Amino acid sequence: GYYKYKHDEL
Amino acid sequence: MNIFRLFGDLSHLAAIAILLLKIWKTRSCAGVSGKTQLLFAVCFITRYIDLFLHFVSLYNTEKVMKLIYISASVFTCYLIFFKFKATYDGNHDSMRAEFLIVPAAGLACLINTKFDAIEILWTFSIYLEAVAILPQLFLISKTGEAETITSHYLFAQGSYRALYILNWIYRYHYESHVDTIAIVAGVVQTILYCDFFYLYITKVVKGQKIVLPA
């Protein structure tokens, strides 16, 4: 499935 | 969130606070590279651009931290280039920042996760941060010494990304989370501090000042 690439770090 | 990332962010905040205090208390930015601070400000703005695009309520600490990083780095640049401009050591802060910005921008267009504006900006910010400290290290090598407070700033600044490496190891092992671009750039960034870390551990901790062989 479509994996929303999100940078979750500062 | 894990302990390494928490202490990494705290170390980063400490670095920003130490530098601000040093400039504000001594009313001087001698020994501080204005270019490095400009590059850091560019890193924060390009990395946290989402704050400006779709403003979301400051519902979590992450948004607040991003705003603190951006405002503190811009304020530091203001102190260096405007308020205490007379004490800015321009002729020693002579590394060409373009030689860092252009390759980082070029590489961000070549090696990225997704070719879209926000992602390219984020990647550019990561690559730029890896080399942003070079003008500061260059300035210290030219002046041949670093004030003790500036050494503490550099130690905190270097430790932040070193702790992030431990965070990435932790997240790989427990969350099988991997952000290759951030990891590679973070390792390069931390390696650039190695000789400074050596000097800091062997000298500053013993109360001596860092004096480089001229």
Side-chain angles (χ1 to χ4, degrees), chain B residues 74-199:
Chain B
V74 169
F75 182 60
T76 303
C77 291
Y78 161 74
L79 291 182
I80 293 173
F81 292 106
F82 294 94
K83 191 156 180 63
F84 301 121
K85 182 178 176 55
T87 63
Y88 171 53
D89 189 357
N91 50 18
H92 280 132
D93 190 13
S94 54
M95 177 178 264
R96 304 296 305 276
E98 307 86 307
F99 291 169
L100 302 174
I101 294 174
V102 174
L107 199 62
C109 293
L110 293 176
I111 305 176
N112 51 61
T113 315
K114 211 169 38 166
F115 197 84
D116 77 29
I118 301 285
E119 190 60 28
I120 299 272
L121 280 175
W122 178 86
T123 310
F124 164 67
S125 155
I126 289 287
Y127 293 153
L128 188 62
E129 185 189 359
V131 294
I133 202 64
L134 285 176
Q136 177 67 58
L137 297 176
F138 183 77
L139 182 140
I140 289 177
S141 68
K142 284 198 69 157
T143 55
E145 63 173 1
E147 285 176 38
T148 303
I149 187 76
T150 309
S151 309
H152 295 321
Y153 158 72
L154 274 170
F155 181 72
Q157 184 69 37
S159 308
Y160 130 71
R161 216 61 181 171
L163 286 162
Y164 255 71
I165 293 172
L166 299 180
N167 152 66
W168 289 321
I169 295 170
Y170 177 93
R171 294 191 73 183
Y172 173 71
H173 186 70
Y174 291 102
E175 304 163 21
S176 58
H177 168 284
V178 176
D179 193 342
T180 314
I181 286 176
I183 293 171
V184 173
V187 168
V188 167
Q189 179 171 338
T190 305
I191 289 173
L192 294 178
Y193 283 85
C194 281
D195 67 330
F196 167 78
F197 279 145
Y198 173 73
L199 285 170

